[in-house]
Amino acid sequence: MERGSYDAAADPAGEPAAPPARIGLRHLSCFVVVAQERTLARAAQRLHLSQPAVSKTLAELERFAGRRLVERGRAGATLTQAGEQFLRHAVNVTRAMDSAAAAFTRTESPFLTAEVGALPTVAVGLLAQAITRLNRHRPHAGVSVRTGANPELLAALKAGEVDFAVGRTAEPAMMAGVSFELLYAESLAVVTRAKHPLATSEARAVSPLELLDYPLVIPGIGTAPRHDVEGFFEAHGIPLPPGRTETQSVSVARALTLLSEAVWITSRHAVQFDIDMGWLRRLNVPVPGSAEPVGLLTRSGATPTELAAYLMDTLRDLSLNHGGVSGKTALAARRS
């Protein structure tokens, strides 16, 4: 067998190899970068190595581990189940080494930054409020926000690209190595601009059929709010109308709603600020009573940075003040 390659037949029992005394930081760093970039070519470019060198380093790591960690194919590099389990440990080690090296060489920036992932509807709601509070109390601290769909947030979190994320729980396989703490349950809201024909009175009940007389703006396919929107129309025997706009961009949906007679159906927290300011009006429409859980996503067993912990505490406090889970429920969720 070629040195550095992985051969499953060499270990027919499928047991891991002996403790890998030869694993080095270069193996862990290479593995983490491959997980982040999702292709060997991009990982090689970022590491300033050739692609064969990256492939060889991965093969060495897999030989030490005694199992396949990364599947290589035309679609890119994807982690195996064993790779997913190993990733959180590799991320913790590489981040600790980076911090230690920065402190030792005195190259660490004097400005602290928290890397946060968030669903688009959360970023413009609760997260924006948390950052505003952070700016007031800690003006020299920074926040880098990465928005995306829930699967993207989970992948970024596992790969160490963000300190934590504010999103939704997922299938057990996707939640491997990730902890979820409930902040609040998100419900739908149907909104228009303040002077829309349907918004003549807050007390006026609006039927779902009336919404079809206007352009609809709804969440994109594959998201939890979109599932709720589809369920809303199906419950009334109404198919989704043609001519609708589907988008995950809160800014696009908001602009369409303010500039036209469009009706926007979205998560309530995404529009609460505009409703409070009087720019948008929530219609009296019988939306579904079910609500989707939104919470903090963190790497299991990882200790957050001081700034990330501060920001998470701020999000917990804000969620309690804005109809989130009760203090007792929140405490129980944190301990589970």
Side-chain angles (χ1 to χ4, degrees):
M1 181 175 67
E2 182 183 356
R3 185 179 182 274
S5 63
Y6 169 76
D7 184 2
D11 185 16
E15 295 296 327
R22 297 169 59 191
I23 286 183
L25 184 59
R26 67 183 181 89
H27 296 104
L28 300 181
S29 299
C30 179
F31 176 71
V32 169
V33 171
V34 168
Q36 292 173 343
E37 297 296 337
R38 298 171 180 81
T39 72
L40 266 62
R42 288 201 300 265
Q45 184 177 19
R46 180 171 155 187
L47 291 166
H48 304 290
L49 297 172
S50 67
Q51 189 168 331
V54 170
S55 183
K56 180 181 178 182
T57 302
L58 279 181
E60 290 176 355
L61 179 62
E62 290 177 328
R63 179 167 61 84
F64 296 147
R67 59 192 65 192
R68 179 76 68 183
L69 300 176
V70 179
E71 294 290 354
R72 294 81 150 172
R74 292 184 177 180
T78 58
L79 300 187
T80 64
Q81 184 176 357
E84 290 278 2
Q85 295 172 349
F86 183 69
L87 178 61
R88 62 190 179 104
H89 302 292
V91 166
N92 290 340
V93 172
T94 55
R95 286 171 70 96
M97 288 298 295
D98 288 343
S99 297
F104 182 75
T105 59
R106 299 181 182 274
T107 60
E108 190 173 27
S109 170
F111 300 105
L112 298 177
T113 300
E115 306 282 342
V116 184
L119 296 169
T121 53
V122 175
V124 299
L126 198 68
L127 183 58
Q129 297 176 51
I131 294 173
T132 300
R133 182 181 292 187
L134 177 71
N135 290 338
R136 285 200 306 265
H137 296 286
R138 303 185 61 171
H140 297 296
V143 181
S144 175
V145 180
R146 173 174 179 169
T147 60
N150 211 60
E152 298 171 1
L153 298 181
L154 287 170
L157 177 65
K158 292 178 182 179
E161 296 172 348
V162 295
D163 296 315
F164 69 92
V166 190
R168 306 181 192 277
T169 188
E171 297 296 327
M174 296 182 64
M175 293 295 291
V178 176
S179 298
F180 175 82
E181 176 189 330
L182 178 65
L183 288 177
Y184 61 87
E186 181 73 283
S187 58
L188 289 179
V190 182
V191 299
T192 64
R193 61 184 176 86
K195 295 185 178 181
H196 192 279
L198 293 177
T200 56
S201 170
E202 293 183 4
R204 183 199 170 199
V206 178
S207 73
L209 283 174
E210 288 183 89
L211 303 180
L212 303 186
D213 294 333
Y214 303 91
L216 285 184
V217 182
I218 62 175
I221 295 175
T223 63
R226 172 56 177 267
H227 177 75
D228 291 339
V229 169
E230 291 175 349
F232 164 67
F233 282 103
E234 288 175 2
H236 293 87
I238 304 173
L240 285 178
R244 61 186 181 269
T245 299
E246 303 176 356
T247 180
Q248 283 302 98
S249 172
V250 174
S251 59
V252 169
R254 180 177 182 273
L256 287 172
T257 307
L258 291 171
L259 293 173
S260 70
E261 293 191 348
V263 174
W264 182 15
I265 309 178
T266 185
S267 301
R268 179 176 64 85
H269 280 73
V271 293
Q272 191 59 55
F273 177 77
D274 287 307
I275 293 173
D276 293 341
M277 296 299 294
W279 299 328
L280 295 178
R281 180 74 61 82
R282 185 174 184 178
L283 300 183
N284 184 11
V285 180
V287 294
S290 61
E292 295 290 338
V294 173
L296 297 173
L297 297 166
T298 56
R299 287 185 294 276
S300 301
T303 301
T305 65
E306 186 275 334
L307 182 59
Y310 180 92
L311 195 54
M312 286 191 287
D313 281 340
T314 303
L315 286 164
R316 293 181 183 112
D317 183 57
L318 287 170
S319 69
L320 292 176
N321 294 331
H322 289 76
V325 295
S326 67
K328 185 180 294 185
T329 303
L331 182 59
R334 287 177 221 175
R335 290 174 174 170
S336 62

